[in-house]
Amino acid sequence: MSFKFTMEPRVSYLSELLKEIYEGFLKIPRFQRELVWKPQQQRDLLCSIFEGLPIGALLVWNTRLGNINVYDRIGPFPVRSDVISGSNLYLMDGLQRLSTLYGTLIYPVDEVEPSRRGSLKVKELSVYCDLSAVDVENLFLFESELDPNVRSKSKYVYMPLSLVFKSKELLRFQRTIPTDKEELLDRSDAIVTAFKNYKIPVIPLESDDQALVTKSFERINSRGTVMSEAHMLNALSYSDEFDLLGSIERNREIFLEGVPKWRDIDPEFVLMLLKLNLGFELYSKDTDKLAKSINNDVVAEVFRAISKLSLFAERYLNIESPAEFPYRLQMLGVAHAYMERPKVSYIRLRSWFYITTYTNSFGTTARNSQRALFDLKGYLTSGALKWTLSHKPVIQSLDGIQVNTGAARVKAWTLALRKKYASALDYPDFDFDQRLSPMMPKEFKARGRRPGFYFLLNADQYKSFDVGSLSEDEFDAHFVNAKLLKLYARKDYNGFALERERLMFLYEQENIIMPAATTAKIHDMIKID
């Protein structure tokens, strides 16, 4: 059998692929890495599936060879490795994605050795869906992120993701939802439908030459990424004068040399910016047409805009790296604005950033995200933001939020803490130690991950931090007043957190949200949840 790509990739339901792994028909060769994705990468994958966004094709190797060593586990969960057939199917590319989905959706705890069922690795793949979450960024929570006390009081709010393909257990869970909470049942059904109906393209390679396939695998993974749309576009646009991936690397060195935290910006972001610049839809898969339009000059223009984006983020948002942006599509909007016009009003860009952050403009659907980007173009021209999104601009308070550093609302709150800290201690605009991050002092440990228990600290401050011994200026910088000190002295920690969250949210409204809404001329539309 000669080595080749099959001309017609098959499209499989996610459930079918997971079943093939469970039953041992789709095997994991031992030259693959084991599960190494971090929780935020896993969460992003789940969010993409819920939103119906593409997660990339899988690459499988179809061969008559049966002498390939394979894994008998995915993470902590055993899988069959002894299935024998005339043709064997090995997963070549997509292990991190399928491992995440197998672990969180199938979650076969009963098949794990009894001594290991309580292990950290098993619990790391236990995911709950917060049916009350207002945006997709906060929908999926790992068990370690949940306050046990909160979950025990409202069990029906947190649906185990592993129930999606278990009809009887799912029905039992849904019956616990009170009749006056119909919106929670609707959210549960929406999650189940999204995962049950999700399809993934599968590209087969056929060969009995193990050395050739192994070389192919090494080439696919040599950049540390999966075979993606960027790789496909590189193949379609390649010529003696142009190599897309090579051009990306060269321009990365030229334009991002002085901003090291931006140098690892991924090719997929570059590709999305390329699409916007060339007039393609953001989620367009018309790769053939796109390949005819790109060249070295276009790639350079994209990286020039990313460089301007990094400067804008540092100077006007107190953001040092892409990871600190609440939504990646906000970076696209700002960078594209710099590509379209030589002079951009930083005041309008900043107000748009805050409005889209606090109103969850990029946390619901792909259609809403594209509308938010389109609205930015009109706003930069007219000075008035036209709201075309399908939901109203509602601001979520801090009440009931669990601190998850990857969530957009928590990132916005962190930026607000930094802004307050800088102004209270009379630092120049945002010019202070960037190592400061939200940390929970020891006395609040095990009391829940609510914002009111966190303070903006660095590692040295954390070791000796004492709420009662702060100076007057530090009290102001950390949202602490006389009322809070009394609550703290009485060890009324929940009351302390509630009052402090009220003060922090009031600061966000008065100093960030409403000034931005007034600048954008939509202050009359803003509602507080």
Side-chain angles (χ1 to χ4, degrees):
M1 192 187 303
S2 62
F3 180 75
K4 63 180 180 180
F5 282 96
T6 299
M7 295 305 293
E8 296 183 1
R10 66 182 171 98
V11 176
S12 296
Y13 282 101
L14 170 60
S15 57
E16 294 173 350
L17 291 167
L18 298 182
K19 183 179 179 182
E20 287 179 1
I21 293 176
Y22 182 80
E23 295 180 346
F25 291 105
L26 179 55
K27 302 178 177 66
I28 314 298
R30 282 198 171 268
F31 52 74
Q32 283 270 30
R33 296 178 299 170
E34 293 194 65
L35 180 58
V36 296
W37 265 12
K38 296 179 181 178
Q40 188 55 43
Q41 292 172 292
Q42 296 173 319
R43 194 194 325 274
D44 288 344
L45 178 71
L46 299 176
C47 289
S48 293
I49 291 178
F50 177 71
E51 293 181 284
L53 301 178
I55 63 171
L58 303 178
L59 198 61
V60 297
W61 173 24
N62 188 7
T63 180
R64 291 171 298 192
L65 295 177
N67 62 337
I68 308 302
N69 290 325
V70 297
Y71 285 113
D72 59 1
R73 290 183 179 276
I74 286 187
F77 303 119
V79 292
R80 292 192 62 183
S81 58
D82 58 349
V83 175
I84 300 174
S85 62
S87 179
N88 293 295
L89 206 59
Y90 300 100
L91 182 64
M92 287 282 288
D93 182 55
L95 177 61
Q96 301 305 310
R97 286 167 285 165
L98 281 189
S99 293
T100 295
L101 295 170
Y102 186 87
T104 57
L105 286 162
I106 303 301
Y107 196 64
V109 178
D110 292 343
E111 299 182 23
V112 177
E113 297 172 7
S115 61
R116 298 182 58 186
R117 287 178 190 169
S119 69
L120 182 60
K121 286 187 177 180
V122 173
K123 291 182 178 179
E124 284 174 347
L125 290 168
S126 176
V127 172
Y128 288 83
C129 307
D130 181 355
L131 302 181
S132 66
V134 297
D135 59 59
V136 69
E137 297 288 336
N138 294 305
L139 181 58
F140 300 103
L141 299 172
F142 289 89
E143 185 173 348
S144 60
E145 297 169 337
L146 278 174
D147 181 347
N149 295 324
V150 173
R151 181 157 60 94
S152 64
K153 292 177 182 177
S154 305
K155 287 185 178 180
Y156 59 83
V157 173
Y158 300 101
M159 181 184 83
L161 186 59
S162 59
L163 299 185
V164 165
F165 297 125
K166 300 172 183 175
S167 300
K168 290 183 180 179
E169 290 89 338
L170 174 66
L171 184 59
R172 279 198 291 268
F173 170 82
Q174 291 183 332
R175 285 173 176 168
T176 67
I177 299 176
T179 55
D180 61 339
K181 301 287 185 181
E182 188 174 344
E183 71 279 4
L184 300 184
L185 183 59
D186 290 342
R187 176 61 73 89
S188 172
D189 286 338
I191 294 168
V192 172
T193 300
F195 281 88
K196 279 189 173 181
N197 292 343
Y198 196 81
K199 297 178 181 179
I200 301 176
V202 180
I203 303 173
L205 296 92
E206 297 181 354
S207 177
D208 288 340
D209 187 336
Q210 182 177 345
L212 191 59
V213 173
T214 302
K215 182 183 292 186
S216 172
F217 174 81
E218 290 173 349
R219 286 178 178 174
I220 291 168
N221 289 275
S222 63
R223 295 179 184 270
T225 58
V226 299
M227 180 174 283
S228 61
E229 188 180 1
H231 289 80
M232 182 64 74
L233 184 59
N234 184 66
L236 292 172
S237 62
Y238 185 85
S239 69
D240 291 340
E241 293 78 29
F242 182 67
D243 171 7
L244 174 61
L245 295 179
S247 183
I248 288 175
E249 294 307 314
R250 285 194 302 275
N251 283 284
R252 189 193 305 275
E253 294 296 323
I254 294 170
F255 290 101
L256 304 181
E257 181 180 6
V259 280
K261 292 187 178 181
W262 286 82
R263 288 183 63 176
D264 290 334
I265 195 105
D266 64 272
E268 294 306 309
F269 177 83
V270 175
L271 180 55
M272 293 173 84
L273 197 48
L274 273 169
K275 288 179 180 180
L276 285 182
N277 189 41
L278 294 171
F280 286 77
E281 288 287 328
L282 190 60
Y283 299 109
S284 167
K285 294 299 178 184
D286 200 349
T287 312
D288 288 340
K289 288 185 179 179
L290 182 59
K292 297 175 183 177
S293 304
I294 59 175
N295 53 50
N296 287 309
D297 291 338
V298 174
V299 176
E301 189 178 354
V302 164
F303 274 92
R304 189 176 292 109
I306 294 174
S307 176
K308 292 179 179 179
L309 162 67
S310 69
L311 292 174
F312 167 80
E314 182 180 5
R315 290 176 182 174
Y316 303 116
L317 303 178
N318 191 29
I319 287 178
E320 277 198 318
S321 72
E324 294 180 5
F325 267 84
Y327 300 103
R328 189 164 76 153
L329 292 185
Q330 289 174 315
M331 298 192 299
L332 278 177
V334 173
H336 190 225
Y338 279 114
M339 297 176 78
E340 286 200 311
R341 35 179 66 78
K343 292 186 179 180
V344 183
S345 167
Y346 77 86
I347 295 175
R348 291 180 186 177
L349 276 183
R350 183 167 61 188
S351 64
W352 176 82
F353 166 81
Y354 284 130
I355 290 168
T356 55
T357 295
Y358 281 97
T359 58
N360 189 31
S361 295
F362 294 101
T364 51
T365 65
R367 185 177 298 276
N368 262 349
S369 296
Q370 296 201 97
R371 285 175 176 171
L373 292 173
F374 182 78
D375 290 348
L376 173 61
K377 294 179 66 174
Y379 173 45
L380 292 176
T381 300
S382 68
L385 182 62
K386 183 180 180 182
W387 187 270
T388 65
L389 278 67
S390 60
H391 68 271
K392 301 296 183 182
V394 177
I395 310 300
Q396 182 186 12
S397 70
L398 293 172
D399 185 29
I401 285 181
Q402 296 285 303
V403 175
N404 159 26
T405 56
R409 183 62 181 90
V410 173
K411 289 182 179 180
W413 163 73
T414 300
L415 294 175
L417 291 186
R418 289 178 175 176
K419 183 177 176 68
K420 171 66 170 176
Y421 189 96
S423 62
L425 297 182
D426 199 27
Y427 283 99
D429 192 20
F430 297 143
D431 183 18
F432 67 94
D433 191 346
Q434 292 290 332
R435 291 175 298 170
L436 294 172
S437 59
M439 296 184 181
M440 186 187 295
K442 297 179 179 62
E443 59 264 49
F444 300 125
K445 291 287 187 182
R447 297 185 180 276
R449 298 169 62 90
R450 54 188 304 175
F453 290 142
Y454 285 80
F455 289 77
L456 200 64
L457 307 168
N458 63 32
D460 293 334
Q461 290 173 320
Y462 174 74
K463 293 176 183 177
S464 58
F465 184 77
D466 180 3
V467 174
S469 64
L470 294 174
S471 68
E472 186 173 338
D473 287 342
E474 288 173 325
F475 281 143
D476 187 28
H478 291 294
F479 297 94
V480 177
N481 58 22
K483 179 179 179 180
L484 280 162
L485 287 175
K486 290 180 181 179
L487 292 170
Y488 179 78
R490 293 203 303 263
K491 295 187 177 181
D492 181 3
Y493 294 138
N494 283 328
F496 175 91
L498 183 65
E499 173 63 14
R500 192 159 172 266
E501 287 161 3
R502 186 188 70 81
L503 292 177
M504 290 189 287
F505 185 48
L506 184 62
Y507 176 83
E508 287 180 304
Q509 293 178 68
E510 293 179 348
N511 295 272
I512 300 173
I513 299 168
M514 295 315 297
T518 300
T519 299
K521 300 178 182 178
I522 66 164
H523 52 284
D524 293 337
M525 295 179 61
I526 296 291
K527 303 296 181 185
I528 304 299
D529 183 7

